[in-house]
Amino acid sequence: MDVSVLVYDGVFDSGLSAILDVLAGANAMRGEIPHPPPAWQVTTIGFRRRVRTGAGHIVTTEPAAEAKRADLLLVPALAERRPDDLLAHVSGHASAAVRNLIAETRERGTPLASACTGTFLLAESGVLDGRKATTSWWLAPVFRQRYPAVTIDETRMVTTSDGVTTAGAAFGHVDLALAIVRMSSPALADLVARYLVVDKRPSQSAYTIPSALAQSDPLVAAFERWARQHLDEPVSVVDAARSLGVSERTLQRTVRRVLGTSPVRFVQDLRVEQASHLLRTTDLSLESIAGKVGYEHANTLRILLRERTGSTAGALRGR
């Protein structure tokens, strides 16, 4: 497979390095498994011979036109975490050439892949419209509002939809590169992950901070504060809406628009976050913790913890 890795001004250094290192590792380890896949021919491409990364390093590239011969175009993230500045950059003149290359590459039917803030470049280019995608969990509310034609699932670490693969926050670039290797050889991907000491991380849910997501909207932020004050009580969306001075429908629609989930499910996320914290920092029994986060039966909490974090209560306590 010929892989073109796009390097542009301000690219996220660790994301770029992770992609190159994982693919180089896969090439180096191919001989250690039976029936190895063909090697990956990786070329870093750009719009100038020398490109400056987000951390100020200089990367030498081949012409961007090399993407025409690629079997896959990889777009690492932009080194920008502030939502307003991120949107201004991906929609502005500075990234016009990047957007055009992405759109032209997809028009030829060439698969695309990106992670973290790089997924905004894909979305801004229109190649994610009508597809499923993931991105950095903390940028999901901004992404959802900016690109309503994209079905976003920020809980996923990696997702592929009709030839376009996207991955989650920052070091999701590692997961992205491993997913690309796995498409050719699951055995080789597992071997590379073991050498790099990378755990399987199918979901970003365990890393999500609900309060950070809630700050994207004043009403959602107020609902989050109300929910935390009533975390040990039965959830009543009607009572929450009345307390916040809005209709139940307004609260439901706002939470869904900003967070892509229901108020009840968001409260469950808050409960999981608090229960996980208590498991790690106290000796309280699971039954006691369940009561503190609004569950009558410990087994209900046990199931929810496993579903949302991918870990058992015992494993969370061990951390």
Side-chain angles (χ1 to χ4, degrees):
M1 176 182 284
D2 289 329
V3 179
S4 288
V5 180
L6 181 59
V7 185
Y8 55 92
D9 285 332
V11 71
F12 178 50
D13 293 65
S14 294
L16 172 61
S17 298
I19 289 170
L20 297 177
D21 286 343
V22 169
L23 293 179
N27 279 335
M29 298 176 200
R30 287 172 53 249
E32 298 184 30
I33 64 170
H35 313 296
W40 288 265
Q41 304 298 325
V42 182
T43 305
T44 53
I45 64 171
F47 299 101
R48 294 197 313 276
R49 181 63 175 167
R50 291 160 60 83
V51 179
R52 186 176 297 276
T53 68
H57 297 108
I58 301 298
V59 178
T60 302
T61 67
E62 298 298 322
E66 291 292 321
K68 293 180 181 179
R69 294 194 288 270
D71 299 308
L72 171 69
L73 175 63
L74 266 165
V75 184
L78 174 70
E80 178 57 74
R81 69 182 307 276
R82 293 165 296 187
D84 289 345
D85 290 341
L86 172 62
L87 291 178
H89 184 95
V90 300
S91 64
H93 176 73
S95 68
V98 175
R99 298 195 306 269
N100 290 337
L101 179 65
I102 290 170
E104 291 168 0
T105 301
R106 190 55 192 154
E107 285 177 4
R108 292 193 297 271
T110 303
L112 301 172
S114 188
C116 192
T117 53
T119 60
F120 281 72
L121 286 166
L122 266 60
E124 197 70 31
S125 305
V127 303
L128 291 180
D129 287 357
R131 293 184 171 92
K132 294 180 181 179
T134 191
T135 190
S136 304
W137 63 262
W138 48 274
L139 287 171
V142 177
F143 191 104
R144 187 174 286 110
Q145 293 179 55
R146 174 84 176 177
Y147 311 112
V150 184
T151 301
I152 185 74
D153 181 0
E154 71 276 20
T155 67
R156 299 288 297 276
M157 190 63 78
V158 179
T159 185
T160 298
S161 179
D162 190 25
V164 182
T165 302
T166 51
F171 292 101
H173 287 83
V174 173
D175 304 86
L176 178 67
L178 285 172
I180 291 166
V181 175
R182 188 167 286 110
M183 291 175 188
S184 296
S185 173
L188 182 56
D190 290 342
L191 180 64
V192 174
R194 292 183 68 178
Y195 270 100
L196 296 180
V197 196
V198 179
D199 293 331
K200 289 185 178 180
R201 302 178 295 181
S203 173
Q204 295 187 81
S205 298
Y207 306 92
T208 301
I209 304 173
S211 57
L213 296 176
Q215 300 313 306
S216 302
D217 182 90
L219 177 57
V220 179
F223 175 59
E224 186 239 349
R225 291 192 294 271
W226 180 92
R228 288 190 184 279
Q229 294 169 1
H230 300 82
L231 212 57
D232 60 345
E233 304 170 13
V235 173
S236 171
V237 179
V238 174
D239 289 346
R242 185 181 300 115
S243 177
L244 298 174
V246 298
S247 68
E248 179 186 0
R249 182 175 181 179
T250 295
L251 181 58
Q252 293 271 11
R253 291 178 62 180
T254 304
V255 172
R256 174 68 65 180
R257 173 177 56 80
V258 174
L259 302 180
T261 191
S262 68
V264 171
R265 189 174 176 87
F266 179 61
V267 172
Q268 289 177 339
D269 290 339
L270 295 176
R271 287 172 166 168
V272 166
E273 178 191 56
Q274 179 64 7
S276 299
H277 172 73
L278 292 173
L279 283 167
R280 291 194 300 266
T281 60
T282 74
D283 293 325
L284 292 172
S285 67
L286 188 62
E287 289 74 15
S288 178
I289 292 174
K292 289 181 177 295
V293 297
Y295 294 112
E296 184 177 353
H297 302 293
N299 196 50
T300 303
L301 177 59
R302 184 178 288 109
I303 294 171
L304 194 60
L305 285 168
R306 187 62 179 265
E307 174 190 317
R308 299 296 173 84
T309 69
S311 298
T312 64
L316 290 168
R317 171 149 277 163
R319 293 177 187 173

Short mmCIF file of all heavy atoms in Angstrom, two decimals, residues 11-65:
data_model
loop_
_atom_site.label_atom_id
_atom_site.label_comp_id
_atom_site.label_asym_id
_atom_site.label_seq_id
_atom_site.Cartn_x
_atom_site.Cartn_y
_atom_site.Cartn_z
N VAL A 11 1.03 21.37 11.76
CA VAL A 11 0.61 20.00 12.03
C VAL A 11 1.05 19.58 13.44
O VAL A 11 2.08 20.03 13.96
CB VAL A 11 1.19 19.04 10.96
CG1 VAL A 11 2.71 18.88 11.14
CG2 VAL A 11 0.50 17.69 10.98
N PHE A 12 0.27 18.73 14.06
CA PHE A 12 0.52 18.25 15.42
C PHE A 12 1.69 17.25 15.38
O PHE A 12 1.59 16.18 14.80
CB PHE A 12 -0.75 17.59 15.97
CG PHE A 12 -0.63 17.01 17.34
CD1 PHE A 12 -0.11 17.75 18.39
CD2 PHE A 12 -1.07 15.71 17.60
CE1 PHE A 12 -0.01 17.21 19.67
CE2 PHE A 12 -0.99 15.17 18.88
CZ PHE A 12 -0.45 15.92 19.90
N ASP A 13 2.78 17.60 16.02
CA ASP A 13 4.01 16.81 15.92
C ASP A 13 3.83 15.36 16.37
O ASP A 13 4.26 14.42 15.68
CB ASP A 13 5.12 17.46 16.76
CG ASP A 13 5.56 18.80 16.20
OD1 ASP A 13 4.72 19.75 16.19
OD2 ASP A 13 6.72 18.92 15.77
N SER A 14 3.22 15.17 17.53
CA SER A 14 3.08 13.81 18.06
C SER A 14 2.18 12.96 17.18
O SER A 14 2.40 11.76 17.03
CB SER A 14 2.53 13.85 19.49
OG SER A 14 3.45 14.46 20.36
N GLY A 15 1.14 13.58 16.60
CA GLY A 15 0.25 12.84 15.72
C GLY A 15 0.98 12.37 14.47
O GLY A 15 0.87 11.21 14.06
N LEU A 16 1.76 13.27 13.87
CA LEU A 16 2.54 12.92 12.70
C LEU A 16 3.54 11.82 13.03
O LEU A 16 3.66 10.82 12.31
CB LEU A 16 3.28 14.16 12.18
CG LEU A 16 4.30 13.95 11.06
CD1 LEU A 16 3.64 13.39 9.82
CD2 LEU A 16 5.03 15.26 10.76
N SER A 17 4.26 11.97 14.14
CA SER A 17 5.26 10.99 14.53
C SER A 17 4.64 9.63 14.83
O SER A 17 5.20 8.59 14.47
CB SER A 17 6.03 11.48 15.75
OG SER A 17 6.72 12.68 15.46
N ALA A 18 3.49 9.64 15.49
CA ALA A 18 2.83 8.38 15.84
C ALA A 18 2.48 7.58 14.59
O ALA A 18 2.71 6.36 14.52
CB ALA A 18 1.57 8.64 16.66
N ILE A 19 1.95 8.25 13.59
CA ILE A 19 1.59 7.58 12.34
C ILE A 19 2.83 6.98 11.68
O ILE A 19 2.86 5.82 11.28
CB ILE A 19 0.88 8.56 11.39
CG1 ILE A 19 -0.52 8.89 11.93
CG2 ILE A 19 0.80 7.99 9.98
CD1 ILE A 19 -1.20 10.02 11.20
N LEU A 20 3.88 7.80 11.56
CA LEU A 20 5.10 7.34 10.91
C LEU A 20 5.76 6.21 11.69
O LEU A 20 6.24 5.22 11.10
CB LEU A 20 6.08 8.51 10.74
CG LEU A 20 5.60 9.66 9.85
CD1 LEU A 20 6.64 10.78 9.82
CD2 LEU A 20 5.31 9.18 8.44
N ASP A 21 5.78 6.32 13.01
CA ASP A 21 6.44 5.29 13.84
C ASP A 21 5.70 3.97 13.79
O ASP A 21 6.32 2.90 13.71
CB ASP A 21 6.55 5.78 15.29
CG ASP A 21 7.63 6.84 15.46
OD1 ASP A 21 8.48 6.98 14.56
OD2 ASP A 21 7.62 7.54 16.50
N VAL A 22 4.37 4.01 13.86
CA VAL A 22 3.60 2.76 13.84
C VAL A 22 3.76 2.06 12.50
O VAL A 22 3.98 0.84 12.44
CB VAL A 22 2.11 3.02 14.15
CG1 VAL A 22 1.27 1.77 13.88
CG2 VAL A 22 1.94 3.44 15.61
N LEU A 23 3.67 2.80 11.41
CA LEU A 23 3.79 2.18 10.09
C LEU A 23 5.22 1.68 9.86
O LEU A 23 5.42 0.61 9.26
CB LEU A 23 3.38 3.16 9.00
CG LEU A 23 1.90 3.54 9.00
CD1 LEU A 23 1.59 4.54 7.89
CD2 LEU A 23 1.00 2.31 8.86
N ALA A 24 6.22 2.42 10.34
CA ALA A 24 7.60 1.95 10.22
C ALA A 24 7.80 0.69 11.06
O ALA A 24 8.48 -0.25 10.63
CB ALA A 24 8.56 3.05 10.68
N GLY A 25 7.19 0.66 12.25
CA GLY A 25 7.28 -0.52 13.09
C GLY A 25 6.64 -1.73 12.44
O GLY A 25 7.16 -2.86 12.50
N ALA A 26 5.49 -1.51 11.80
CA ALA A 26 4.81 -2.61 11.11
C ALA A 26 5.68 -3.16 9.99
O ALA A 26 5.79 -4.38 9.79
CB ALA A 26 3.47 -2.13 10.56
N ASN A 27 6.33 -2.28 9.25
CA ASN A 27 7.23 -2.73 8.18
C ASN A 27 8.40 -3.54 8.74
O ASN A 27 8.79 -4.56 8.18
CB ASN A 27 7.75 -1.54 7.38
CG ASN A 27 6.76 -1.05 6.33
OD1 ASN A 27 5.91 -1.80 5.87
ND2 ASN A 27 6.86 0.22 5.96
N ALA A 28 8.93 -3.06 9.86
CA ALA A 28 10.09 -3.74 10.46
C ALA A 28 9.73 -5.10 11.03
O ALA A 28 10.58 -6.00 11.09
CB ALA A 28 10.70 -2.85 11.54
N MET A 29 8.48 -5.27 11.47
CA MET A 29 8.07 -6.51 12.14
C MET A 29 7.35 -7.49 11.23
O MET A 29 6.94 -8.56 11.67
CB MET A 29 7.17 -6.17 13.34
CG MET A 29 7.84 -5.34 14.41
SD MET A 29 6.68 -4.88 15.73
CE MET A 29 7.53 -3.48 16.45
N ARG A 30 7.20 -7.15 9.96
CA ARG A 30 6.45 -8.02 9.05
C ARG A 30 7.01 -9.44 9.02
O ARG A 30 6.27 -10.41 8.94
CB ARG A 30 6.48 -7.44 7.63
CG ARG A 30 5.62 -6.23 7.43
CD ARG A 30 5.84 -5.59 6.06
NE ARG A 30 5.69 -6.55 4.98
CZ ARG A 30 6.69 -6.99 4.21
NH1 ARG A 30 7.92 -6.56 4.43
NH2 ARG A 30 6.45 -7.85 3.25
N GLY A 31 8.32 -9.55 9.10
CA GLY A 31 8.95 -10.87 9.00
C GLY A 31 8.76 -11.75 10.21
O GLY A 31 9.13 -12.94 10.19
N GLU A 32 8.17 -11.22 11.27
CA GLU A 32 8.01 -11.99 12.50
C GLU A 32 6.69 -12.77 12.55
O GLU A 32 6.42 -13.47 13.52
CB GLU A 32 8.10 -11.06 13.72
CG GLU A 32 9.45 -10.37 13.86
CD GLU A 32 9.54 -9.54 15.12
OE1 GLU A 32 8.87 -9.91 16.11
OE2 GLU A 32 10.27 -8.53 15.12
N ILE A 33 5.86 -12.62 11.52
CA ILE A 33 4.59 -13.36 11.50
C ILE A 33 4.50 -14.20 10.23
O ILE A 33 5.12 -13.86 9.21
CB ILE A 33 3.37 -12.41 11.57
CG1 ILE A 33 3.31 -11.50 10.33
CG2 ILE A 33 3.39 -11.58 12.85
CD1 ILE A 33 2.02 -10.72 10.21
N PRO A 34 3.76 -15.30 10.27
CA PRO A 34 3.55 -16.07 9.04
C PRO A 34 2.69 -15.27 8.06
O PRO A 34 1.83 -14.51 8.46
CB PRO A 34 2.79 -17.32 9.54
CG PRO A 34 2.96 -17.33 11.03
CD PRO A 34 3.13 -15.90 11.45
N HIS A 35 2.96 -15.45 6.79
CA HIS A 35 2.17 -14.81 5.73
C HIS A 35 2.04 -13.30 5.95
O HIS A 35 0.93 -12.77 6.10
CB HIS A 35 0.77 -15.43 5.65
CG HIS A 35 0.78 -16.93 5.67
ND1 HIS A 35 1.35 -17.70 4.67
CD2 HIS A 35 0.29 -17.80 6.60
CE1 HIS A 35 1.21 -18.98 4.97
NE2 HIS A 35 0.58 -19.07 6.12
N PRO A 36 3.16 -12.59 6.00
CA PRO A 36 3.10 -11.15 6.24
C PRO A 36 2.44 -10.40 5.07
O PRO A 36 2.52 -10.84 3.91
CB PRO A 36 4.57 -10.75 6.37
CG PRO A 36 5.30 -11.78 5.57
CD PRO A 36 4.54 -13.06 5.79
N PRO A 37 1.80 -9.28 5.36
CA PRO A 37 1.20 -8.46 4.29
C PRO A 37 2.30 -7.70 3.55
O PRO A 37 3.44 -7.63 4.03
CB PRO A 37 0.30 -7.50 5.06
CG PRO A 37 1.02 -7.32 6.37
CD PRO A 37 1.60 -8.66 6.69
N PRO A 38 1.99 -7.14 2.39
CA PRO A 38 2.97 -6.30 1.69
C PRO A 38 3.37 -5.11 2.56
O PRO A 38 2.62 -4.68 3.44
CB PRO A 38 2.22 -5.84 0.43
CG PRO A 38 1.12 -6.83 0.26
CD PRO A 38 0.73 -7.27 1.63
N ALA A 39 4.55 -4.58 2.30
CA ALA A 39 5.03 -3.43 3.07
C ALA A 39 4.23 -2.18 2.73
O ALA A 39 3.64 -2.07 1.65
CB ALA A 39 6.51 -3.20 2.79
N TRP A 40 4.22 -1.25 3.66
CA TRP A 40 3.61 0.06 3.43
C TRP A 40 4.69 1.01 2.92
O TRP A 40 5.72 1.19 3.56
CB TRP A 40 3.01 0.61 4.72
CG TRP A 40 1.76 -0.09 5.14
CD1 TRP A 40 0.47 0.28 4.87
CD2 TRP A 40 1.66 -1.30 5.91
NE1 TRP A 40 -0.41 -0.62 5.40
CE2 TRP A 40 0.28 -1.61 6.06
CE3 TRP A 40 2.59 -2.16 6.49
CZ2 TRP A 40 -0.17 -2.71 6.75
CZ3 TRP A 40 2.15 -3.27 7.18
CH2 TRP A 40 0.77 -3.54 7.30
N GLN A 41 4.44 1.60 1.78
CA GLN A 41 5.36 2.59 1.22
C GLN A 41 4.85 3.97 1.65
O GLN A 41 3.86 4.46 1.13
CB GLN A 41 5.40 2.48 -0.31
CG GLN A 41 5.77 1.10 -0.83
CD GLN A 41 7.15 0.66 -0.42
OE1 GLN A 41 8.07 1.48 -0.33
NE2 GLN A 41 7.32 -0.63 -0.17
N VAL A 42 5.53 4.55 2.62
CA VAL A 42 5.04 5.79 3.25
C VAL A 42 5.81 6.99 2.71
O VAL A 42 7.04 7.02 2.73
CB VAL A 42 5.18 5.72 4.78
CG1 VAL A 42 4.63 6.99 5.42
CG2 VAL A 42 4.45 4.49 5.33
N THR A 43 5.07 7.99 2.24
CA THR A 43 5.67 9.22 1.72
C THR A 43 5.05 10.41 2.43
O THR A 43 3.82 10.54 2.49
CB THR A 43 5.41 9.37 0.20
OG1 THR A 43 5.90 8.20 -0.47
CG2 THR A 43 6.12 10.60 -0.34
N THR A 44 5.88 11.28 3.00
CA THR A 44 5.36 12.53 3.58
C THR A 44 5.29 13.56 2.45
O THR A 44 6.26 13.80 1.74
CB THR A 44 6.27 13.05 4.70
OG1 THR A 44 7.61 13.14 4.23
CG2 THR A 44 6.21 12.12 5.90
N ILE A 45 4.11 14.14 2.28
CA ILE A 45 3.90 15.10 1.20
C ILE A 45 3.47 16.44 1.77
O ILE A 45 2.98 16.53 2.90
CB ILE A 45 2.83 14.59 0.21
CG1 ILE A 45 1.46 14.47 0.91
CG2 ILE A 45 3.24 13.26 -0.40
CD1 ILE A 45 0.30 14.18 -0.05
N GLY A 46 3.67 17.49 1.00
CA GLY A 46 3.30 18.83 1.45
C GLY A 46 3.24 19.79 0.28
O GLY A 46 3.55 19.44 -0.86
N PHE A 47 2.86 21.03 0.57
CA PHE A 47 2.73 22.04 -0.47
C PHE A 47 4.00 22.87 -0.64
O PHE A 47 4.08 23.71 -1.53
CB PHE A 47 1.53 22.95 -0.16
CG PHE A 47 0.24 22.18 -0.11
CD1 PHE A 47 -0.33 21.82 1.11
CD2 PHE A 47 -0.38 21.77 -1.27
CE1 PHE A 47 -1.51 21.09 1.17
CE2 PHE A 47 -1.56 21.04 -1.23
CZ PHE A 47 -2.12 20.70 -0.02
N ARG A 48 4.95 22.64 0.24
CA ARG A 48 6.29 23.22 0.10
C ARG A 48 7.31 22.15 0.44
O ARG A 48 7.00 21.19 1.12
CB ARG A 48 6.46 24.43 1.03
CG ARG A 48 5.59 25.62 0.70
CD ARG A 48 6.11 26.89 1.40
NE ARG A 48 6.41 26.64 2.81
CZ ARG A 48 5.51 26.68 3.79
NH1 ARG A 48 4.24 26.93 3.51
NH2 ARG A 48 5.86 26.45 5.03
N ARG A 49 8.52 22.35 0.00
CA ARG A 49 9.57 21.37 0.26
C ARG A 49 9.85 21.23 1.75
O ARG A 49 10.11 20.14 2.24
CB ARG A 49 10.85 21.78 -0.49
CG ARG A 49 12.04 20.84 -0.32
CD ARG A 49 11.76 19.48 -0.89
NE ARG A 49 12.94 18.62 -0.83
CZ ARG A 49 12.91 17.32 -1.03
NH1 ARG A 49 11.76 16.72 -1.29
NH2 ARG A 49 14.01 16.61 -0.97
N ARG A 50 9.80 22.34 2.45
CA ARG A 50 10.07 22.34 3.90
C ARG A 50 8.86 22.92 4.62
O ARG A 50 8.45 24.05 4.33
CB ARG A 50 11.33 23.14 4.22
CG ARG A 50 12.61 22.47 3.71
CD ARG A 50 13.75 23.48 3.58
NE ARG A 50 14.07 24.10 4.86
CZ ARG A 50 14.87 23.56 5.79
NH1 ARG A 50 15.41 22.36 5.57
NH2 ARG A 50 15.13 24.19 6.91
N VAL A 51 8.32 22.16 5.55
CA VAL A 51 7.10 22.56 6.27
C VAL A 51 7.41 22.66 7.76
O VAL A 51 8.15 21.82 8.31
CB VAL A 51 5.97 21.53 6.04
CG1 VAL A 51 4.72 21.94 6.81
CG2 VAL A 51 5.67 21.40 4.55
N ARG A 52 6.86 23.67 8.40
CA ARG A 52 7.09 23.88 9.84
C ARG A 52 5.91 23.31 10.64
O ARG A 52 4.76 23.65 10.40
CB ARG A 52 7.25 25.36 10.16
CG ARG A 52 7.64 25.64 11.62
CD ARG A 52 7.88 27.12 11.85
NE ARG A 52 8.98 27.63 11.05
CZ ARG A 52 10.26 27.54 11.42
NH1 ARG A 52 10.59 26.95 12.56
NH2 ARG A 52 11.21 28.03 10.64
N THR A 53 6.21 22.44 11.59
CA THR A 53 5.17 21.81 12.41
C THR A 53 4.68 22.76 13.50
O THR A 53 5.22 23.86 13.69
CB THR A 53 5.71 20.55 13.09
OG1 THR A 53 6.70 20.93 14.09
CG2 THR A 53 6.37 19.61 12.09
N GLY A 54 3.69 22.31 14.25
CA GLY A 54 3.15 23.13 15.32
C GLY A 54 4.16 23.45 16.39
O GLY A 54 4.10 24.52 17.03
N ALA A 55 5.13 22.55 16.61
CA ALA A 55 6.17 22.77 17.62
C ALA A 55 7.40 23.46 17.05
O ALA A 55 8.39 23.67 17.75
CB ALA A 55 6.58 21.44 18.25
N GLY A 56 7.33 23.82 15.76
CA GLY A 56 8.42 24.57 15.16
C GLY A 56 9.48 23.74 14.47
O GLY A 56 10.51 24.27 14.03
N HIS A 57 9.27 22.44 14.36
CA HIS A 57 10.24 21.60 13.67
C HIS A 57 10.02 21.66 12.16
O HIS A 57 8.91 21.90 11.69
CB HIS A 57 10.13 20.15 14.16
CG HIS A 57 10.44 19.99 15.60
ND1 HIS A 57 9.47 19.72 16.56
CD2 HIS A 57 11.61 20.08 16.29
CE1 HIS A 57 10.03 19.64 17.75
NE2 HIS A 57 11.32 19.86 17.63
N ILE A 58 11.09 21.41 11.42
CA ILE A 58 11.03 21.44 9.97
C ILE A 58 10.97 20.01 9.43
O ILE A 58 11.80 19.17 9.79
CB ILE A 58 12.24 22.18 9.37
CG1 ILE A 58 12.29 23.62 9.89
CG2 ILE A 58 12.17 22.16 7.85
CD1 ILE A 58 11.08 24.46 9.51
N VAL A 59 10.00 19.76 8.57
CA VAL A 59 9.85 18.45 7.94
C VAL A 59 10.00 18.62 6.44
O VAL A 59 9.38 19.50 5.84
CB VAL A 59 8.48 17.83 8.27
CG1 VAL A 59 8.32 16.48 7.55
CG2 VAL A 59 8.30 17.64 9.77
N THR A 60 10.84 17.79 5.84
CA THR A 60 11.02 17.82 4.39
C THR A 60 9.98 16.92 3.73
O THR A 60 9.75 15.79 4.18
CB THR A 60 12.43 17.34 4.02
OG1 THR A 60 13.40 18.16 4.68
CG2 THR A 60 12.66 17.41 2.52
N THR A 61 9.35 17.41 2.69
CA THR A 61 8.26 16.67 2.07
C THR A 61 8.46 16.52 0.56
O THR A 61 9.22 17.26 -0.06
CB THR A 61 6.91 17.37 2.30
OG1 THR A 61 6.90 18.61 1.58
CG2 THR A 61 6.67 17.64 3.78
N GLU A 62 7.72 15.58 0.02
CA GLU A 62 7.60 15.44 -1.43
C GLU A 62 6.38 16.26 -1.89
O GLU A 62 5.54 16.63 -1.07
CB GLU A 62 7.41 13.96 -1.80
CG GLU A 62 8.58 13.07 -1.41
CD GLU A 62 9.86 13.46 -2.12
OE1 GLU A 62 9.79 13.83 -3.32
OE2 GLU A 62 10.92 13.43 -1.47
N PRO A 63 6.27 16.55 -3.18
CA PRO A 63 5.15 17.37 -3.66
C PRO A 63 3.79 16.74 -3.33
O PRO A 63 3.63 15.52 -3.36
CB PRO A 63 5.37 17.43 -5.17
CG PRO A 63 6.83 17.20 -5.34
CD PRO A 63 7.22 16.23 -4.26
N ALA A 64 2.82 17.60 -3.04
CA ALA A 64 1.47 17.12 -2.69
C ALA A 64 0.84 16.33 -3.83
O ALA A 64 -0.05 15.49 -3.60
CB ALA A 64 0.58 18.30 -2.32
N ALA A 65 1.29 16.55 -5.05
CA ALA A 65 0.76 15.83 -6.20
C ALA A 65 0.99 14.32 -6.10
O ALA A 65 0.32 13.54 -6.80
CB ALA A 65 1.38 16.36 -7.50
#
